[in-house]
Amino acid sequence: MLKIARMRVSVLTAAVSVRTRTRWLLRKWTESSIYMTNLALMDLLLLLQLPFKMHAAYNTWEENKMLLCSFLESFYFVAMYGSIYTIACIAIDRYIAINHPFRAKQVRSKKNALIVCVLIWVFVMSATSPIYTFRDKKEGNFTCFHGFSENGWSTAIIVCLELFGFLLPAAVLVVCSIQSIRTLKASKSSNPKKQAGVRIIYSSLAAFLVPFTPCHIAIFLQYLVRNDLILDCKQQKNIALFIQVSMNIANVTCCLDALCYYFIAKEVRSTKKTLKLSISRARTTSTSEV
């Protein structure tokens, strides 16, 4: 009986310690860290597609692997547009925190950030589901990640892709970033944290516009080619090369997004530590003078 009682006590102690550690870990999370983790997961998903994409660039796939190819293509676009919407949500969250600090206490929370990330996954997965209809089942051996059927280049698909996949998030990011930069620069304080915040905003703008703008221009040009609006053979070859190069640049840059945000967050934390240290030193000096 004594051994059983001791075992029960040890089990209860272990459960309490696990619960305590879980609560401690949850306290360490912030809204920004949740968004950055979601961005890292999106980039990891994109990175997992690259070996298949590289293999498909030099090899044809058999017809019985068409479903696997559509599955990989779907998650490739889930990762890309999930990253786009996550970066846009980071910009919105930053805008609320900077421009509406009192309102932010009611709107911003770890629970809301987690809900937003889940909604991003649901939205992009449902929006990319038509990819399973983009291939002709009678085409035999095929090249995965290339050669979509005419369904994939229809006007409705491309308009939705360009408008909701790029232009709308880009507009949200640019507007929120401009407003946040104006607010930070309008403050008269020479706080190092303000300068770090401006650098964060410029970095996020570059991480979004540099990789995603060229590839969506290339997608639009390829749409014009597939719909016989550009007929010149040389221009068609240049556009085909442009879309491949721009998509590869977007892939590489996406994989660096989370790393970029990590170092930015690290810079902010170091700035906070320096600021606290300078404040404590100032207080010590003033006390000693008194």
Side-chain angles (χ1 to χ4, degrees):
M1 293 294 292
L2 183 60
K3 290 182 178 180
I4 295 174
R6 287 178 178 177
M7 288 177 63
R8 289 179 178 177
V9 170
S10 62
V11 169
L12 289 173
T13 304
V16 170
S17 63
V18 169
R19 187 179 299 176
T20 304
R21 291 180 64 185
T22 303
R23 289 178 179 177
W24 180 80
L25 289 173
L26 289 176
R27 288 195 196 101
K28 300 292 287 184
W29 284 76
T30 62
E31 293 82 1
S32 299
S33 62
I34 291 173
Y35 285 122
M36 284 190 287
T37 303
N38 191 62
L39 182 63
L41 290 175
M42 292 291 184
D43 293 342
L44 177 62
L45 183 61
L46 181 65
L47 187 64
L48 294 176
Q49 312 298 315
L50 293 183
F52 300 99
K53 199 169 185 292
M54 294 172 63
H55 177 271
Y58 302 98
N59 299 276
T60 59
W61 290 25
E62 297 178 359
E63 186 179 357
N64 57 4
K65 296 181 180 178
M66 189 172 296
L67 183 60
L68 173 62
C69 173
S70 298
F71 176 79
L72 294 173
E73 289 170 342
S74 174
F75 272 89
Y76 174 81
F77 287 103
V78 164
M80 176 177 287
Y81 291 100
S83 297
I84 288 176
Y85 272 87
T86 303
I87 294 174
C89 288
I90 290 173
I92 295 173
D93 181 72
R94 187 191 302 120
Y95 165 79
I96 295 173
I98 294 175
N99 293 69
H100 305 282
F102 296 105
R103 181 67 176 171
K105 294 180 180 180
Q106 301 174 354
V107 177
R108 297 178 74 243
S109 67
K110 289 176 280 188
K111 180 180 178 181
N112 290 341
L114 187 60
I115 291 173
V116 170
C117 291
V118 172
L119 290 177
I120 290 173
W121 281 92
V122 173
F123 173 72
V124 294
M125 290 183 72
S126 59
T128 55
S129 58
I131 290 178
Y132 290 92
T133 65
F134 286 178
R135 293 198 171 274
D136 188 0
K137 296 182 180 180
K138 299 180 181 180
E139 65 180 3
N141 288 1
F142 64 98
T143 304
C144 190
F145 294 98
H146 300 277
F148 286 143
S149 66
E150 297 302 322
N151 293 333
W153 295 99
S154 64
T155 302
I157 293 293
I158 298 302
V159 168
C160 291
L161 182 71
E162 296 285 346
L163 181 60
F164 297 105
F166 176 69
L167 293 177
L168 182 61
V172 170
L173 177 66
V174 170
V175 171
C176 290
S177 299
I178 291 174
Q179 294 295 326
S180 299
I181 291 172
R182 285 180 177 176
T183 302
L184 288 174
K185 289 186 174 181
S187 60
K188 298 180 180 180
S189 62
S190 59
N191 193 333
K193 186 179 176 182
K194 182 188 75 172
Q195 300 175 358
V198 173
R199 286 196 294 270
I200 289 173
I201 297 172
Y202 281 127
S203 300
S204 62
L205 274 173
F208 185 95
L209 296 176
V210 171
F212 295 125
T213 303
C215 69
H216 283 87
I217 293 174
I219 290 173
F220 177 71
L221 293 175
Q222 185 67 14
Y223 160 76
L224 297 179
V225 171
R226 295 297 294 266
N227 286 272
D228 298 328
L229 297 174
I230 296 179
L231 300 176
D232 185 72
C233 184
K234 185 177 180 180
Q235 289 183 356
Q236 290 181 355
K237 290 182 180 179
N238 291 335
I239 290 171
L241 178 62
F242 178 45
I243 192 170
Q244 293 301 320
V245 172
S246 60
M247 292 296 283
N248 289 332
I249 292 174
N251 296 341
V252 173
T253 311
C254 280
C255 295
L256 298 176
D257 282 345
L259 192 63
C260 173
Y261 276 91
Y262 167 76
F263 284 113
I264 290 171
K266 188 176 181 180
E267 179 185 0
V268 172
R269 286 195 295 269
S270 63
T271 304
K272 288 181 179 179
K273 290 180 181 179
T274 305
L275 188 62
K276 289 180 180 179
L277 183 61
S278 62
I279 292 173
S280 62
R281 285 178 178 175
R283 288 177 177 175
T284 305
T285 303
S286 61
T287 305
S288 60
E289 289 177 354
V290 174

